[in-house]
Amino acid sequence: MFPPGTFRPAPGRANPLRMLATQTRMESLLTLRHPEQALLTLLIPLVLLIGMSTLDVDLVEPPRVDSVAPRILALAVMSTAFTGQAIALGFDRRYGVIKRLSATALPRWVLVAGRVLAALLVVALQTVVLGGTALVLGWQPSGAGVAAAVPLLVLGTLVFGAGGVLVGGALRAETVLAVANTTWFVLLLAGGLAVPARHLPGVMSSFDEYLPSGALAEALGACLSEGTAPSARSLLVLVGWGIAAGALAVRTTRLS
């Protein structure tokens, strides 16, 4: 009875890709605007990169930046995908954000994919900033290894992201803060990110390769410093941690 366009706006669900783009943009901005997140995801890795590359520290073999840069990139991925996601999810649950978003027209997969893509965007920004700083400090990564490092960064983001959802989706917000920050510190030291694994005491010197942080650092080091393919062990360790954390997160994650 009425010509098209008489009544606007036309009711109906928005385009799924547009919803995904909007959700990703919102999650990215919330991460970048948060002072604590900026400190954890960018400032601390940047300070460690510059300090460990320029200070005369016997623990790091010269050329220092070539040894430090892959480990700092692994630290940046862990900070964003694990600690950042865990804390953000824990407090979103506390304030009812996740519960309210799940009651809107946004599909559940958009909520999940938006967080994943936002984490990948932040990791990409970290990689550009940290990689550019390392190049200024004299880093000379393997050209062939740079391309191989990209899927490793994506894999590391997914693995640590699964761990972040596991912690942030099951515990109270205050507990998430303690657990996420403590785990970050343990993985930083025991994974050989701050101190090379060979200098760690006792069994810790051989245990780092079975931690996700140590496995990611080892894989990135093989690609970027040595120009070789990552070992099957490091890849299996990463995939194993990701599958285990993801399976547990599916069972334990709560909306509020």
Side-chain angles (χ1 to χ4, degrees):
M1 296 177 61
F2 302 98
T6 301
F7 301 104
R8 291 184 181 278
R13 175 177 289 184
N15 183 280
L17 294 180
R18 182 178 298 177
M19 289 192 291
L20 177 59
T22 302
Q23 184 69 14
T24 302
R25 177 177 175 273
M26 183 194 71
E27 295 285 355
S28 302
L29 290 176
L30 289 176
T31 300
L32 295 174
R33 288 175 178 175
H34 198 287
E36 182 181 350
Q37 295 280 35
L39 175 67
L40 185 67
T41 60
L42 190 58
L43 293 182
I44 291 179
L46 190 59
V47 169
L48 288 176
L49 172 64
I50 296 174
M52 295 172 64
S53 300
T54 57
L55 297 178
D56 188 8
V57 181
D58 294 336
L59 296 178
V60 183
E61 295 180 355
R64 295 183 181 86
V65 67
D66 290 345
S67 172
V68 169
R71 303 206 306 268
I72 295 301
L73 288 176
L75 172 63
V77 171
M78 181 178 71
S79 300
T80 296
F82 173 71
T83 312
Q85 288 294 318
I87 294 174
L89 179 58
F91 280 92
D92 282 351
R93 288 175 49 240
R94 176 181 179 178
Y95 295 122
V97 175
I98 302 298
K99 189 173 183 179
R100 286 171 172 80
L101 284 176
S102 64
T104 66
L106 282 176
R108 189 69 59 89
W109 70 268
V110 170
L111 297 176
V112 176
R115 284 183 175 268
V116 172
L117 291 177
L120 290 173
L121 286 176
V122 175
V123 168
L125 176 61
Q126 290 174 300
T127 303
V128 171
V129 174
L130 295 173
T133 304
L135 290 175
V136 172
L137 294 173
W139 185 34
Q140 296 180 346
S142 168
V146 171
V150 174
L152 280 176
L153 292 173
V154 175
L155 175 62
T157 302
L158 297 177
V159 170
F160 282 108
V165 173
L166 173 61
V167 173
L171 304 176
R172 294 173 60 88
E174 295 80 4
T175 308
V176 169
L177 273 175
V179 172
N181 286 316
T182 302
T183 304
W184 179 88
F185 189 73
V186 170
L187 292 178
L188 169 68
L189 295 180
L193 302 185
V195 178
R198 62 183 178 276
H199 296 292
L200 296 175
V203 296
M204 292 179 62
S205 60
S206 58
F207 186 64
D208 72 294
E209 58 195 22
Y210 298 104
L211 296 175
S213 54
L216 181 58
E218 179 186 353
L220 289 174
C223 293
L224 297 173
S225 299
E226 303 171 11
T228 60
S231 65
R233 180 189 60 199
S234 60
L235 294 178
L236 288 175
V237 169
L238 282 172
V239 172
W241 277 98
I243 292 175
L248 288 174
V250 170
R251 291 178 173 270
T252 58
T253 298
R254 301 190 299 268
L255 296 180
S256 60

